[in-house]
Amino acid sequence: MIYDVVVVGGGPSGTTAAEDLTRSGHMVAMIDKAGRIKPCGGAVPPRLIRDFFIPDSQIMAKINTARMISPTQRSVDIPIENGYVGMVDREHFDEFLRVRAREAGAHRYTGTFRRIERDADGTHVVFRDKISGNEQRLSTKLVIGADGARSDVGRAEVPGGDTIPYVIAYHEIIEAPNPSTLYDPLRCDVIYDGEISPDFYGWVFPHGKSASVGMGTGVDGVDLKEATAALRVASGLDGCKTIRKEGAPIPLKPLDRWDNGKDVVLAGDAAGVVAPSSGEGIYYAMVGGRVAATAAAATLASGRAKDLMLARKLFMKEHRQVFRVLGAMQNAYYRSDERRERFVSLCHDIDVQKLTFEAYMNKKLVKARPMAHLKIGLKNLAHLTRLVSPLRT
């Protein structure tokens, strides 16, 4: 059998690509490691729930408030108006997506990707089967690499795939405590504190009966487990039972190229599509899987390998500006505790709150309020040039 597409990776990106291609009539195989759970806060915006038909049964919690906490423990609660932020548990959410792709018609294989081979008969994906331990070979016309931030497919096949910048994320899933002044099951806490993360942030995200507590950093020498333990103490969660612990790299920048010009295109974390500043990845991973599927379908229809470039073009056309804004914000405010203090001060501004969450919920920058943008711009300038106190809101 010769598949139209073999998808390497069964996370949100790979499963979306596999399902989309299968539903459009293509013969698809999906290879995934069993039992791998990515560390992830689990936040999904309403647009993801709508666009990808996620049932309510997968939403573990519906968050109505985000709390930003500064290095000096000042906090601001930001209400989420006109909706909620959904919370999923990747242990169950990813498997739900894999099952849905298989039910749509994708052939599911469980194992570890080894390499891509090419000969007179075409392109072949070699993987080690989990049950037998033997290498198996799938023949295919195209390959979608959706196998994570340090993608084996990307490193072997796509220019720049071996140099993608990333932070290391680590979290612990704990049994959720009873509601208290420190823990609210309907509130996400985001902790901007250099003692927790010198260049990113820590988080406490409720998942219903459990919660994700973690942090990320790109700084060498930081003990992620110690930092998370300190975060649990500060959040009053050190006495909660730990269910599981996970760590993984999270990419910081989309690759300049997502395809090899022949038969491979990358998607999701493998292509680097995690939002700067927020570290949000699930929505962008699924969009990345969708545009990779679109590019693969176009290439299969036209026979032109250059159509694989459509994946990056489609994604960046819609999301480039958001990534630029978020990247600039991270570069400006995550570099020191003084800057993080100023960032939390800005978050007290009602216009900042509204524009931020309108953009988050709908994945588009809000342009209809020029005076609000002007006021925020002036406040940014005042803080970045130190014209005002870090505590000035």
Side-chain angles (χ1 to χ4, degrees):
M1 176 188 296
I2 299 178
Y3 287 100
D4 291 320
V5 181
V6 170
V7 179
V8 179
S13 186
T15 54
T16 299
E19 182 182 356
D20 280 7
L21 284 163
T22 300
R23 293 192 185 281
S24 63
H26 295 93
M27 184 67 71
V28 179
M30 178 177 66
I31 303 169
D32 186 62
K33 296 179 182 178
R36 179 73 177 94
I37 307 170
K38 181 182 175 182
C40 178
V44 295
R47 184 171 174 183
L48 180 150
I49 296 169
R50 293 193 306 268
D51 288 0
F52 297 97
F53 306 103
I54 304 304
D56 201 57
S57 61
Q58 287 299 314
I59 306 302
M60 302 293 101
K62 295 181 178 181
I63 301 303
N64 60 27
T65 305
R67 172 170 289 182
M68 308 298 182
I69 303 172
S70 80
T72 60
Q73 301 305 302
R74 290 188 309 137
S75 66
V76 54
D77 287 355
I78 303 176
I80 300 169
E81 299 178 351
N82 304 317
Y84 62 89
V85 174
M87 287 289 153
V88 299
D89 187 322
R90 295 292 295 272
E91 179 181 18
H92 307 295
F93 183 67
D94 288 17
E95 180 62 14
F96 160 78
L97 294 174
R98 287 189 284 266
V99 169
R100 190 166 72 173
R102 186 193 65 204
E103 290 176 345
H107 293 186
R108 179 179 177 181
Y109 296 88
T110 302
T112 304
F113 169 81
R114 303 291 291 182
R115 61 190 175 275
I116 294 174
E117 298 178 343
R118 297 176 181 88
D119 56 27
D121 295 325
T123 300
H124 315 280
V125 176
V126 180
F127 71 100
R128 185 177 298 281
D129 181 72
K130 180 176 176 61
I131 296 177
S132 68
N134 297 326
E135 286 193 350
Q136 294 191 23
R137 198 172 188 240
L138 303 178
S139 299
T140 185
K141 298 172 185 176
L142 299 174
V143 179
I144 293 178
D147 52 334
R150 290 188 286 199
S151 164
D152 289 330
V153 176
R155 284 187 286 178
E157 297 289 335
V158 177
D162 57 344
T163 59
I164 187 168
Y166 59 86
V167 299
I168 299 296
Y170 172 80
H171 80 160
E172 297 176 0
I173 296 293
I174 64 171
E175 287 187 354
N178 293 324
S180 68
T181 55
L182 288 177
Y183 181 82
D184 184 339
L186 300 181
R187 186 190 72 221
C188 283
D189 291 356
V190 184
I191 299 91
Y192 296 99
D193 185 347
E195 292 297 317
I196 301 300
S197 171
D199 60 330
F200 211 54
Y201 63 80
W203 69 82
V204 177
F205 285 3
H207 289 177
K209 294 181 179 180
S210 63
S212 166
V213 184
M215 50 78 69
T217 183
V219 176
D220 291 338
V222 175
D223 189 314
L224 282 74
K225 292 183 178 180
E226 284 187 6
T228 301
L231 175 57
R232 288 182 62 168
V233 170
S235 304
L237 302 173
D238 50 316
C240 297
K241 179 181 177 181
T242 302
I243 299 172
R244 63 178 195 266
K245 304 176 181 181
E246 294 141 5
I250 307 295
L252 288 177
K253 181 183 177 183
L255 289 174
D256 292 333
R257 182 166 181 175
W258 294 6
D259 69 281
N260 68 348
K262 296 183 293 186
D263 53 7
V264 174
V265 63
L266 303 179
D269 280 12
V273 293
V274 170
S277 179
S278 68
E280 182 190 359
I282 301 176
Y283 170 77
Y284 294 110
M286 296 181 79
V287 171
R290 178 149 290 171
V291 296
T294 299
T299 301
L300 291 168
S302 69
R304 299 188 301 262
K306 68 177 183 180
D307 285 344
L308 291 174
M309 296 173 67
L310 280 172
R312 191 179 191 280
K313 288 180 179 179
L314 290 171
F315 184 94
M316 298 307 288
K317 181 179 180 181
E318 183 169 1
H319 301 292
R320 178 184 284 109
Q321 190 175 4
V322 170
F323 273 50
R324 282 178 176 170
V325 170
L326 293 175
M329 186 174 77
Q330 180 172 335
N331 290 334
Y333 286 109
Y334 285 19
R335 62 178 61 181
S336 70
D337 271 356
E338 185 214 7
R339 291 290 184 95
R340 282 184 275 268
E341 197 74 44
R342 292 179 181 278
F343 176 68
V344 174
S345 292
L346 281 173
C347 290
H348 282 77
D349 187 285
I350 298 299
D351 286 319
V352 169
Q353 296 177 12
K354 289 185 176 180
L355 291 175
T356 297
F357 273 96
E358 285 174 16
Y360 172 80
M361 304 282 266
N362 299 299
K363 296 304 168 211
K364 292 181 180 179
L365 295 178
V366 181
K367 300 179 181 180
R369 300 173 60 196
M371 293 306 295
H373 283 283
L374 176 60
K375 185 184 76 170
I376 292 167
L378 292 173
K379 282 194 171 185
N380 262 302
L381 182 62
H383 274 287
L384 293 176
T385 57
R386 295 187 171 91
L387 291 176
V388 298
S389 163
L391 306 182
R392 176 71 177 271
T393 61

